[in-house]
Amino acid sequence: MSKIRIGIAGYGNLGKGVELAIRQNDDMELAGIFTRRDPSTVNPLTEGARVYKLDDAEKMKNDIDVMIICGGSATDLPEQTPELAKNFNVIDSFDTHARIPEHFANVDKVCKETGHLAMISLGWDPGLFSLNRLYAESILPNGKSYTFWGKGVSQGHSDAIRRVEGVKKGIQYTVPVEAAMDAVRSGSQPELSTREKHERVCYVVPEEGADKAKIEETIKSMKNYFDQYNTTVNFITDEEFDAVHNKMPHGGFVMRSGLTGDGEKTHQMIEYSLKLESNPEFTSSVLVCYARALSRLKAEGAVGCKTAFDIAPAYLSRLSGEELRAAML
Amino acid sequence: MSKIRIGIAGYGNLGKGVELAIRQNDDMELAGIFTRRDPSTVNPLTEGARVYKLDDAEKMKNDIDVMIICGGSATDLPEQTPELAKNFNVIDSFDTHARIPEHFANVDKVCKETGHLAMISLGWDPGLFSLNRLYAESILPNGKSYTFWGKGVSQGHSDAIRRVEGVKKGIQYTVPVEAAMDAVRSGSQPELSTREKHERVCYVVPEEGADKAKIEETIKSMKNYFDQYNTTVNFITDEEFDAVHNKMPHGGFVMRSGLTGDGEKTHQMIEYSLKLESNPEFTSSVLVCYARALSRLKAEGAVGCKTAFDIAPAYLSRLSGEELRAAML
């Protein structure tokens, strides 16, 4: 059987992760990297990998089975996914929860006009966490769901820190509060405030002569980003920053505390968690796995926009239905 | 919209659990209970619920949308599921892993002959645990999977204890070994023996004058059931047994420890766990939730036998695709 030919649109951390994940799946091959930069300045991790201008992607429309779009959700994906769906079957990791319905509608419209298949908002949240919310809430209709994130680096909050005057380098870790998770696990279905669920821990390298007290105060009072949380600001050296804070770990927990039985008094607890040393590499692994599902569903004639909710799990696996039932059920 | 009419075949702990789970889903209704006993001796939990002889089920074929079969896997389901699939769309919780391919083939054949839709081997293992194995292994192809069960009551092992001479009452808890789970969580991908993964804790009420030392020795040396495990036998009073050991808790953990990235050195950990106060009530909740999926897939024309692997998650939820994307993605 011929391999699934994957295109990568956007070659940052996520794009590199996709490139590496393809190597772990020998039913797939890297067919090209597409970039807004000058292709000659891009050095792929894979020897012999070809790099093209994103604007010229259309020329490759017959050489790519699935285009995995690795841009950011704020400005890239709302434009790129519908645009690329004109010529390709596409996958993205659009993660601005509030704007998903709008993004879905835009992508679905293009796909239906051009006969392509798209899968959006894949990764772990949205993605695997969403799946776990859906399964758990469907199985335990009387219950309460909780999502905790971390311990992990939030890009948005790290960017916010770095914009503060006097900050040379900065990184922010979102940390779930153990006591809150234990309260959920007890089955008591607590109401938890934003402050009770997560704390924020920042590491900052100040510019020489910067006013540390002012930096700390500015960070802690930052609206929406930090003011609703217990926030700690640690000042460290350049050397420590580079040595310790050079990774992008993340993870989190989805929990459902439900009640069943006569009088609905029996406690049932479902918990799903991820502990990731690299957030972009894991997200990439999810995207690549769904490229397999996309390629199979497309072969069956599917068209339009889908999410993780619409994909039967068997499509993700290299194993046949028979093999899956024998080995994994 | 008319409600999904559910039949319950077999009215033990699982059947009662299904009856109670239907109450939590107001798009469903209990259409009848089918039993091998004399129907007049069965007292349903639901006032007005009708009880029929299982042998007469065929007469109700036009009054039941989904028959949930609540028999045991050893002898009931291999006969009942194919038999009932002649006249009904059926769901079962067949859990003899090694015989699933054979059971699937038998049920699939009948369904394709009669135009019915079946879903087998639902519950949590097989079922939700299988789903988590599939998702995790598809996303992290380079890795190692682990399943731990417990802390929970094993019916098979409890039955085995009760067959030992001198045992008046007995119950067995399967307990996952914390140290083994922590070793997995460390990312070291340990090889774990049967003895290292689980221990077995038994509570026994001896007959008056019974030889306790002999009971303990007989249990601990029982082939396959106990000889490969560290087993503890506790002798307790009748009163303590009835007061403390009258529930059917269970649960467990599915873990995948995987590696990604350049040189495959980045640790990624996926963990799914259940902590259930009542195993049969939870299993029932899964069966009832899949009855919704069955009814929808049948309406779309699906025929044959399916497992959890074949069902797109969206079919399980009462929410529409639009609502799911807005609320849960």
Side-chain angles (χ1 to χ4, degrees), chain B residues 188-260:
Chain B
S188 68
Q189 300 194 12
E191 290 292 336
L192 295 168
S193 68
T194 298
R195 189 177 301 275
E196 285 168 325
K197 287 183 72 185
H198 296 94
E199 55 184 310
R200 302 202 172 277
V201 180
C202 311
Y203 294 87
V204 170
V205 180
E207 305 271 13
E208 235 183 275
D211 181 343
K212 291 188 199 173
K214 198 177 158 205
I215 290 174
E216 182 167 343
E217 176 52 30
T218 307
I219 292 174
K220 287 187 172 177
S221 59
M222 210 182 291
K223 267 252 182 268
N224 300 323
Y225 281 93
F226 292 100
D227 64 335
Q228 296 166 45
Y229 300 85
N230 291 334
T231 301
T232 314
V233 179
N234 302 290
F235 291 97
I236 60 173
T237 62
D238 231 325
E239 294 68 33
E240 185 181 341
F241 191 96
D242 292 347
V244 180
H245 301 287
N246 58 357
K247 296 217 176 74
M248 282 170 285
H250 219 312
F253 301 79
V254 175
M255 302 180 183
R256 176 90 176 159
S257 173
L259 293 164
T260 62

Side-chain angles (χ1 to χ4, degrees), chain B residues 128-326:
Chain B
L128 302 180
F129 274 19
S130 323
L131 283 174
N132 275 279
R133 286 188 282 263
L134 189 160
Y135 276 114
E137 295 190 17
S138 302
I139 290 161
L140 296 174
N142 179 0
K144 204 162 150 57
S145 295
Y146 300 83
T147 303
F148 293 89
W149 294 273
K151 181 187 173 178
V153 175
S154 160
Q155 291 302 337
H157 290 81
S158 298
D159 289 346
I161 290 178
R162 289 190 285 262
R163 285 191 297 263
V164 172
E165 199 187 316
V167 170
K168 186 176 170 193
K169 295 179 180 175
I171 192 166
Q172 191 265 187
Y173 295 88
T174 305
V175 182
V177 176
E178 277 293 337
M181 292 201 289
D182 287 343
V184 173
R185 290 181 185 123
S186 77
S188 68
Q189 300 194 12
E191 290 292 336
L192 295 168
S193 68
T194 298
R195 189 177 301 275
E196 285 168 325
K197 287 183 72 185
H198 296 94
E199 55 184 310
R200 302 202 172 277
V201 180
C202 311
Y203 294 87
V204 170
V205 180
E207 305 271 13
E208 235 183 275
D211 181 343
K212 291 188 199 173
K214 198 177 158 205
I215 290 174
E216 182 167 343
E217 176 52 30
T218 307
I219 292 174
K220 287 187 172 177
S221 59
M222 210 182 291
K223 267 252 182 268
N224 300 323
Y225 281 93
F226 292 100
D227 64 335
Q228 296 166 45
Y229 300 85
N230 291 334
T231 301
T232 314
V233 179
N234 302 290
F235 291 97
I236 60 173
T237 62
D238 231 325
E239 294 68 33
E240 185 181 341
F241 191 96
D242 292 347
V244 180
H245 301 287
N246 58 357
K247 296 217 176 74
M248 282 170 285
H250 219 312
F253 301 79
V254 175
M255 302 180 183
R256 176 90 176 159
S257 173
L259 293 164
T260 62
D262 208 2
E264 304 187 290
K265 289 174 196 152
T266 311
H267 288 93
Q268 314 279 20
M269 187 75 209
I270 304 176
E271 180 168 339
Y272 180 79
S273 69
L274 296 172
K275 197 176 158 199
L276 311 173
E277 276 189 0
S278 166
N279 181 358
E281 285 176 16
F282 186 80
T283 301
S284 307
S285 295
V286 177
L287 298 177
V288 166
C289 174
Y290 273 92
R292 177 179 299 123
L294 189 152
S295 139
R296 289 181 179 169
L297 278 160
K298 191 70 181 61
E300 291 179 11
V303 161
C305 190
K306 311 259 181 206
T307 74
F309 297 154
D310 307 309
I311 317 299
Y315 285 97
L316 300 173
S317 173
R318 295 198 58 181
L319 302 180
S320 69
E322 211 166 348
E323 289 168 326
L324 284 175
R325 288 189 293 275

Side-chain angles (χ1 to χ4, degrees), chain A residues 239-275:
Chain A
E239 293 68 35
E240 185 181 340
F241 191 96
D242 291 347
V244 180
H245 301 288
N246 58 356
K247 297 217 176 75
M248 281 170 286
H250 220 313
F253 302 79
V254 175
M255 302 180 182
R256 177 88 176 162
S257 173
L259 294 164
T260 63
D262 209 1
E264 304 186 291
K265 289 174 197 153
T266 311
H267 288 93
Q268 313 279 21
M269 187 75 209
I270 304 176
E271 181 169 338
Y272 180 79
S273 69
L274 296 173
K275 197 177 158 198

Side-chain angles (χ1 to χ4, degrees), chain A residues 189-210:
Chain A
Q189 300 193 12
E191 290 291 336
L192 296 167
S193 68
T194 299
R195 189 177 300 275
E196 285 168 325
K197 286 182 72 184
H198 297 93
E199 54 184 309
R200 302 203 173 275
V201 180
C202 311
Y203 294 87
V204 170
V205 181
E207 306 270 12
E208 236 183 274

Side-chain angles (χ1 to χ4, degrees), chain A residues 31-96:
Chain A
I33 294 166
F34 299 84
T35 178
R36 284 178 297 202
R37 289 177 271 168
D38 173 357
S40 69
T41 65
V42 172
N43 295 306
L45 299 167
T46 309
E47 206 173 332
R50 277 168 299 179
V51 185
Y52 305 92
K53 283 188 83 75
L54 185 56
D55 285 342
D56 296 341
E58 187 177 351
K59 294 178 192 160
M60 294 282 288
K61 61 192 270 186
N62 296 320
D63 303 301
I64 307 274
D65 297 312
V66 185
M67 183 72 91
I68 302 183
I69 313 177
C70 300
S73 293
T75 55
D76 298 337
L77 298 177
E79 286 197 13
Q80 290 177 349
T81 307
E83 182 60 31
L84 286 163
K86 290 180 184 167
N87 293 303
F88 299 96
N89 303 305
V90 294
I91 287 184
D92 78 19
S93 62
F94 185 75
D95 68 358
T96 311

